[in-house]
Amino acid sequence: MTSPVTGQPSPAAEDPRAEGAVAEGPVAEGPGAEGEVFDNTRQTPSAPPPLRPLELARWAWRQLTSMRVALILLFLLALGAIPGSILPQRRANPVSVAAFIEENASLGRLYDRLGLFDVYATAWFAAIYLLLFVSLIGCILPRSRQHWATMRARPPRAPRNLSRLPAHERWEVAATPEQVLAAAREVLRGRRYRVDVHPEGSPAGPHVAAERGHLRESGNLLFHLALVIVLVAVALGGLWGYRAQVLVPQGQGFANSVIQYDSLSGGARFDGSSLVPFSLTLDRFDMRFRVRGSQRGAPEEFTARVTVTEEPGAAPVART
């Protein structure tokens, strides 16, 4: 080790624990006073401390409630619904599912393990659905509150120095300030701006402040709120709704009860006792077919004449 001033051996070299000892490393003289030394030894950056559980939860929540993640989840939901539209579903048509598995043994078993024959009841589809629901709620509600507060607030005042604005121009007209403010107010209102007139006494002097563009954000928020409502309706239908099929021949009747249906599948909260106790008799069923065009022979119109009893003890009513 050498002395930074004289270049001669330093006493600190003999005892590195001595006060004022300089660590070994590249030493360079800088442009300062003569003999001034700069230590350019590279320091290894220390790794950032790991996130604590609360910080990790906040970071995950910010990522989940971002619009980017909401769009990704919406795309995944649409992608996951494709098998439910192409492949037969066990709840709607168990016979077709069994036939598909019988005709395609290995592929059918794979689809069955992945839940593709009952897409809307699988855990992975429910996970995407719930994450999308939480993401939209966490994204829309804060933005809606902020947008509501912005719409109720007055347009911002003009700064005292116009050069602070990203763009500004200056004109000189032969009119009084009151005439200029009135003309500006009329022109801006004609272009559907929200206008606020600031009289004498404001820091920037008498001026007109205007803004617009809130309807665009309102439409965006209304669209996403409608999407949330659709998701809620689908969830309620999946929990309390049901799907059922029944074949009623002409001249026979039907009572709205669980045992009368040929097939019935309900949600987790479905209760068969909640079915409306009506009954009907199919008196006549007419069907008309197409007689012209490329779809000749296809069904065109169905007409059913029935006798309905809306509740036990009520008088039967004929309907078409």
Side-chain angles (χ1 to χ4, degrees):
M1 183 178 296
T2 60
S3 171
V5 177
T6 63
Q8 301 298 324
S10 171
E14 301 177 359
D15 186 5
R17 296 172 297 177
E19 184 177 358
V22 181
E24 287 186 338
V27 179
E29 291 187 359
E34 184 178 356
E36 184 179 354
V37 178
F38 296 92
D39 186 2
N40 62 352
T41 304
R42 292 186 179 181
Q43 300 292 334
T44 303
S46 58
L51 295 177
R52 291 176 294 181
L54 183 58
E55 295 175 342
L56 182 61
R58 289 177 178 174
W59 176 85
W61 175 254
R62 286 195 298 267
Q63 296 300 317
L64 179 61
T65 55
S66 64
M67 187 59 66
R68 180 182 66 255
V69 174
L71 292 175
I72 293 175
L73 291 173
L74 185 61
F75 173 76
L76 290 177
L77 188 71
L79 190 64
I82 292 177
S85 303
I86 298 177
L87 298 175
Q89 298 298 292
R90 183 169 280 111
R91 291 190 176 188
N93 196 346
V95 177
S96 298
V97 173
F100 185 92
I101 295 176
E102 184 178 355
E103 295 174 0
N104 308 271
S106 58
L107 187 61
R109 287 193 296 269
L110 176 61
Y111 286 173
D112 200 12
R113 284 196 298 268
L114 295 176
L116 300 185
F117 294 123
D118 201 1
V119 171
Y120 308 109
T122 57
W124 56 266
F125 189 86
I128 298 174
Y129 185 91
L130 292 177
L131 287 175
L132 176 61
F133 184 77
V134 173
S135 178
L136 288 175
I137 292 294
C139 178
I140 292 173
L141 291 184
R143 287 180 57 183
S144 298
R145 289 196 300 266
Q146 182 181 4
H147 181 60
W148 178 251
T150 303
M151 290 184 62
R152 297 183 61 186
R154 299 173 65 183
R157 296 181 178 182
R160 183 178 301 176
N161 188 358
L162 292 180
S163 61
R164 296 179 180 178
L165 296 174
H168 68 279
E169 295 185 15
R170 187 184 298 271
W171 299 281
E172 292 185 5
V173 296
T176 63
E178 291 77 12
Q179 293 174 340
V180 173
L181 292 178
R185 181 179 61 228
E186 294 301 324
V187 171
L188 291 172
R189 285 182 175 174
R191 296 183 179 181
R192 298 182 180 180
Y193 279 85
R194 295 176 63 233
V195 179
D196 188 17
V197 179
H198 295 268
E200 291 283 353
S202 59
H207 64 277
V208 175
E211 64 178 0
R212 70 177 180 179
H214 294 293
L215 290 179
R216 183 185 308 162
E217 180 68 10
S218 300
N220 186 22
L221 291 175
L222 286 176
F223 168 77
H224 289 89
L225 286 174
L227 183 59
V228 171
I229 293 174
V230 170
L231 292 175
V232 171
V234 172
L236 294 177
L239 289 174
W240 282 276
Y242 69 95
R243 290 184 176 184
Q245 296 179 353
V246 62
L247 179 63
V248 182
Q250 180 173 305
Q252 297 186 15
F254 165 77
N256 190 29
S257 62
V258 175
I259 60 175
Q260 289 285 311
Y261 286 101
D262 299 330
S263 63
L264 186 145
S265 60
R269 299 288 183 177
F270 171 71
D271 184 7
S273 61
S274 62
L275 295 175
V276 179
F278 73 90
S279 61
L280 61 86
T281 301
L282 181 59
D283 300 322
R284 183 180 177 85
F285 183 79
D286 298 323
M287 182 168 29
R288 189 171 63 182
F289 298 89
R290 294 181 181 271
V291 295
R292 298 184 182 87
S294 58
Q295 298 182 349
R296 181 179 179 180
E300 183 179 26
E301 183 179 352
F302 302 94
T303 303
R305 293 176 174 83
V306 297
T307 302
V308 181
T309 304
E310 296 184 353
E311 58 182 14
V317 180
R319 293 182 180 177
T320 301

